[in-house]
Amino acid sequence: MSRISTHVLDTATGRPAAGIAMRLEAESNGVWNAIAEGATDADGRWKTPAENAAAGEYRIVFLTARYFSGQGRRSLYPEIAVTFTCDGETHYHLPVLLSENGYTTYRGS
């Protein structure tokens, strides 16, 4: 079974993005169901409770508007959804590099 994790870095400040609320969702018959909620820790990381994720479609929704407004900043993207296909066997680490006006994601290790 797969493990799912993420790491968010705020490229505008050059620091980990601590306290970003997020949820992990799984797709079933065309419907997205929340399976975990949490927030990034002081190092910008969230190790989801999905330690044994089965094969399928998943997405992590990052609630960026709350993060930026808490810092007196405004973002073009109120949330970011990173959708991915999980094979049910390997670790999925999905980092996000974030600023008010853009983001990048990739498969990490």
Side-chain angles (χ1 to χ4, degrees):
M1 294 290 200
S2 294
R3 183 168 60 99
I4 300 169
S5 62
T6 188
H7 186 197
V8 185
L9 298 172
D10 187 330
T11 59
T13 64
R15 299 194 169 274
I20 292 187
M22 60 187 68
R23 70 181 172 271
L24 176 65
E25 300 174 341
E27 186 272 334
S28 177
N29 297 318
V31 176
W32 289 102
N33 301 296
I35 58 172
E37 294 184 2
T40 53
D41 63 16
D43 194 36
R45 297 178 184 274
W46 186 45
K47 189 173 160 183
T48 74
E51 291 290 323
N52 297 306
E57 303 294 313
Y58 292 85
R59 71 180 173 195
I60 301 175
V61 180
F62 301 82
L63 304 175
T64 54
R66 292 181 199 172
Y67 168 75
F68 285 118
S69 67
Q71 298 181 0
R73 298 158 65 192
R74 188 171 154 197
S75 175
L76 176 64
Y77 303 101
E79 68 178 33
I80 297 167
V82 176
T83 306
F84 59 100
T85 303
C86 176
D87 66 9
E89 295 178 18
T90 56
H91 175 209
Y92 287 82
H93 182 63
L94 303 163
V96 173
L97 304 177
L98 175 68
S99 75
E100 293 96 321
N101 295 303
Y103 66 92
T104 301
T105 186
Y106 57 95
R107 182 164 184 189
S109 58

